[in-house]
Amino acid sequence: MRSAHRVAGFAAIAVSAGFVIAPAAHAATGTTLYVNRTATCSNTDPSAGSQALPFCSVQAAADAAQPGQTVVIGGPIGETYWENLVVKHSGAPGAPITFTGAGYYLTAPGASPALTLSGVHDVAFSGLTIEPYVHGGHDAIDIIGSQNVSLDRLALSYLHANPQGLRGIDVDGSSSAITLSRSTVSGLWDGGAVRVESGAHDVVVTTNHLSGWGVTHPLVQVSGASGVDLTSNSLSVTSNSISAPQGVSDIAIDAGSTADVENNVGYGSKSPALSVSTDSAAHVVSDYNAFQVATVGAPKYLWAGVDYATVAAFTIATAQGAHDIDGPASGNYPQIGDRSPLVDSANSDAPGELSTDAYGHPRVHDPHVTATGVGHANYYDRGAVEVEDSIAYPPSSSAATVAVSSAFDGQPVPAPTSAWGEALTATVDFGDGSTQQSGPVGTSIYHSYQQVGVYLKKTTITNGDGGYSVSGYQDVNVLPAAPLAPVLVAGLNDGPYTPDTLRFTMTGIDGQWEIAHWTANFGDGSTVADLTNGITHTYPRPGIYTVTFTGTDLLGRPFASKSTAVVGTAYNPLDGGPQRAYDSRTKGRDTVPAHAVVRLSTSALHVATVAPDAVQLNVTVTNPEAGGFVTVYPDGAARPNVSNVNFTPGLTVANQVTASVGSSGYVDFYNGSDKPIDLVVDTVGSHTSAQSGSVYHAVGPVRVLDTRAAGGRPVAGNGTITVPVSGLNGVPTNAMAAAFNVTAVNALSSGFLTAYGSGQNRPGVSNANWTAGKVVPALVTVSLTSGGVPLANGGLVLHNGGGGSVDFVADLVGYYDMSSTGSVFLPSAPTRVLDTRGGIGASVGQLGAQQTLRLKVAGVGGVPAAGVAAAALNLTVTDSAGAGFLSAYPDGTVRGGASSVNFTAGQTVANMTVTPVGADGYVDIYNGGSAPVSVIADLSGTYYSYGATG
């Protein structure tokens, strides 16, 4: 018992160009030679031919092959070997040279056959696709003067361009014992499939699919040959009225040939289907065939010069075809299938008949028909295909879901049935590498998956004799044994990016496929559900948001989780360098009264970005009549108890400030002195969440300049020095800006520092001011662009605005670029996070000489508890009895040689820093002076890195 192919008729099979050839079983003796175009293949190495060192070409293997050897052609499935193969070596009786390679192509590159067998014997080919080059003008296979040649399970295609009546296979008159079996010859145009020339003998053409369109020559032509068996072939000739004349046959036998024609089925659009010449008629046996032509009443047979339109007329006149079958009416192919008259009606003892069909399926009986065949078995079908049992089985099943280690039934539902009532067998490959399991259809086959994932389960249903099977597929979703615990983790989109738009990734699960339904609440009042193409969300403003994620998995188990989304800002330096935004001196000396507030709009601050959240400024106080401080804060907010610039009477003091912008679009500057001051504000850049920009990368600090070092010399009065930056010390060549802590030392006169990027004109601004002998540090941020384009050789330019020389020390602390792997700035209203005088952030009491305090930053005062890469801290020193410096650095690391604030005895001085935060969330502050000092730190924002939190 067996199963039916899913086709309606034998002629439909005959014209199919998609016939798949399975590899032939082969019991080779001797050594196997391998062909594979790998990097290690060789055609010249004497030891070539092994799997480790294969031949590069089929020809090289053929030239080396000896009797009993098998040439295995390999490589990636579908590999084409462009060769005109000529076999020169012969095998021996019982020890042929065999060429095999199912799924591989032998294609002729020139005007010669793809395969030529000339003067050889005992050679076999199996499994290859052989094709001549289109428009090549040659046969696919030429057999010349050769004997005992077997061509089995071949596919010959792309023959449609052959001119001059050339063939797929040509057997010349000096050849004998040639067999073509279980092969397809298709794509014919003009020429035929097989030609056997005068003088050839003992040629078998059996169980093949032969088809052509527009042919002007017979599919099979036998001329003057003897002992030719044409058995169980499915043939189809279709021709248009212009290119193909009347008289093009499926089979034509002439020139006194002897042949046996049995069990064939064929269709021809031009009659007759079978043509036998007068001089051959007495030597040809024709029976158990089924031929059909397109035109009703047209002759199916041309026998000894006489046309016959029906089997009855043909049999009465010739005594041939007594068991032939007439095809149906015009326009229909002769049908083969369950209950077809072509089933179980062939001669099983016909010369050349095979025990299996073109697909290798066994010959079996259809229980729905009465077997009328003859021979040793009366149930062989006519043509190349044996009808099998049909199995009602869905090609695929809906996905199933199961938990790890749970028993899963691998049988299909509903169970397939057999049209012939056979007992069917199910074989299940569960897709996880486990051993396949088999059992009768209708019984359970249980399996427990051990790993989470999506597996493709394949169930193959096989009929009783194993000759036919169908397969169905099903996705199996395997979930964890416990309920899911997915979390939405926020990250930046690929840069350039808009920081307020975050990309959320589901973690804690194998993949989003595990979730049936879900809802994300982003913490700003908006929600989204069941997106399949990624999750992004745009927030209205910078801040820290709680994201709630709820849903159910594919097994219906609920989950709920919370995570944090931090919305920061990107940095945009002013192209061309800093610009002066405000200078009160233009209105006269000391024009900012005591305790007065100066309000500056973002437009006045030269900020052109959309909705800036913060501005980066250099704030200078000059001409103060008394000591005091300046506080910079967002307009509309309560003035915080912090300071950004501290000054004493008569001195000019500057500091960099990152200030949040008020909702009104203004920034306020408060004079905390009891006397008037002059105020100068220079804009360096801006931060915004609503526009693309740069992210920050902390570095070192790394010392990149010290004019005091060996070989260095001070910068002369009104002189400049340039320090290369881009491409050095981890700074990429596409960096947009860089931050440095610059210290002026050994000044011989009063002066000021102007820092800017190379390639830019020196701006009329200052970053730090000093008097002779003072040590003054300053945080500076410089643009490394020109016209908005990064400079591959960008550098830091330091200008000495004094009349006397000065030494400069510069430490690189970070850079900005347009990547998505750095840190965004999370601005905040100025907040005092450390004051040793009042016990804020540390115990009450001064920081001792050469002592270090640990300041917790992460998780304090609204700062994220994780992911904090650096802190924008304004450090202030006061109440010192001696000179010294402070050094701020990440906790858990070795302190370097850089200073953050320098001071003298009794001096109150501040300096802005951007200090990396240790992995534990702390910053260390070291007193490098000779006496205790009071230390104050005001936080204006933090740099947050999504990468730091996974």
Side-chain angles (χ1 to χ4, degrees), residues 824-841:
V824 293
F825 182 66
L826 185 61
S828 63
T831 304
R832 182 144 292 175
V833 293
L834 174 67
D835 191 339
T836 59
R837 301 169 302 178
I840 298 175

Side-chain angles (χ1 to χ4, degrees), residues 10 265 289-290 325 334-336 340-346 380-382:
F10 72 87
V265 293
N289 300 298
I325 299 173
Q335 300 295 302
I336 186 167
S340 166
L342 303 180
V343 172
D344 292 358
S345 62
Y380 278 35
D381 298 346
R382 306 187 192 202

Side-chain angles (χ1 to χ4, degrees), residues 104-503:
Y104 300 94
Y105 291 77
L106 183 65
T107 302
S112 299
L115 172 60
T116 300
L117 299 164
S118 180
V120 297
H121 59 84
D122 296 289
V123 176
F125 276 82
S126 175
L128 284 166
T129 295
I130 298 178
E131 53 191 30
Y133 188 73
V134 175
H135 303 295
H138 51 78
D139 301 329
I141 301 175
D142 276 355
I143 301 175
I144 305 167
S146 297
Q147 291 77 40
N148 294 325
V149 173
S150 171
L151 306 176
D152 184 57
R153 303 174 191 254
L154 302 183
L156 278 67
S157 60
Y158 288 103
L159 307 174
H160 59 280
N162 286 344
Q164 304 169 3
L166 298 177
R167 301 297 198 272
I169 302 172
D170 186 274
V171 181
D172 86 327
S174 59
S175 296
S176 62
I178 310 298
T179 299
L180 173 67
S181 60
R182 293 178 293 192
S183 297
T184 60
V185 182
S186 60
L188 299 173
W189 180 280
D190 188 72
V194 180
R195 177 172 60 188
V196 183
E197 297 185 27
S198 179
H201 61 90
D202 298 316
V203 177
V204 179
V205 180
T206 179
T207 321
N208 302 289
H209 289 86
L210 309 175
S211 64
W213 188 91
V215 296
T216 57
H217 294 75
L219 283 178
V220 180
Q221 184 164 21
V222 180
S223 296
S226 61
V228 178
D229 298 326
L230 307 177
T231 308
S232 287
N233 299 289
S234 293
L235 310 103
S236 176
V237 173
T238 54
S239 306
N240 60 41
S241 60
I242 298 176
S243 64
Q246 194 77 13
V248 176
S249 303
D250 290 354
I251 299 173
I253 302 172
D254 58 25
S257 299
T258 64
D260 190 282
V261 183
E262 295 193 57
N263 299 339
N264 300 285
V265 293
Y267 170 84
S269 62
K270 297 290 185 178
S271 63
L274 173 64
S275 174
V276 179
S277 66
T278 301
D279 56 4
S280 300
H283 312 293
V284 174
V285 174
S286 178
D287 203 359
Y288 294 93
N289 300 298
F291 295 116
Q292 170 64 16
V293 293
T295 305
V296 175
K300 294 184 177 70
Y301 306 92
L302 174 60
W303 190 276
V306 180
D307 288 329
Y308 302 95
T310 65
V311 169
F314 174 57
T315 301
I316 291 171
T318 65
Q320 300 282 346
H323 303 91
D324 281 11
I325 299 173
D326 272 321
S330 173
N332 294 313
Y333 292 161
Q335 300 295 302
I336 186 167
D338 196 21
R339 297 179 173 87
S340 166
L342 303 180
V343 172
D344 292 358
S345 62
N347 178 10
S348 61
D349 290 337
E353 184 62 76
L354 303 178
S355 61
T356 58
D357 71 357
Y359 298 98
H361 297 160
R363 305 289 187 173
V364 288
H365 171 56
D366 182 345
H368 293 153
V369 303
T370 300
T372 59
V374 297
H376 69 277
N378 64 353
Y379 50 80
Y380 278 35
D381 298 346
R382 306 187 192 202
V385 177
E386 186 78 6
V387 170
E388 297 280 347
D389 183 11
S390 62
I391 300 176
Y393 179 67
S396 61
S397 304
S398 58
T401 303
V402 64
V404 165
S405 299
S406 297
F408 173 68
D409 187 356
Q411 277 280 28
V413 179
T417 58
S418 161
W420 291 358
E422 294 187 280
L424 304 178
T425 299
T427 300
V428 183
D429 181 344
F430 287 94
D432 59 351
S434 60
T435 302
Q436 295 183 6
Q437 300 182 53
S438 298
V441 166
T443 61
S444 294
I445 300 176
Y446 290 108
H447 178 67
S448 294
Y449 288 93
Q450 301 304 310
Q451 297 291 332
V452 172
V454 178
Y455 300 91
L456 182 63
K457 177 179 73 72
K458 177 182 178 182
T459 302
T460 302
I461 308 299
T462 307
N463 64 349
D465 58 25
Y468 183 67
S469 63
V470 293
S471 296
Y473 297 86
Q474 181 183 35
D475 283 330
V476 181
N477 304 309
V478 181
L479 302 185
L484 298 177
V487 177
L488 281 184
V489 175
L492 296 177
N493 287 311
D494 292 338
Y497 58 90
T498 304
D500 61 0
T501 301
L502 298 182
R503 181 187 69 251

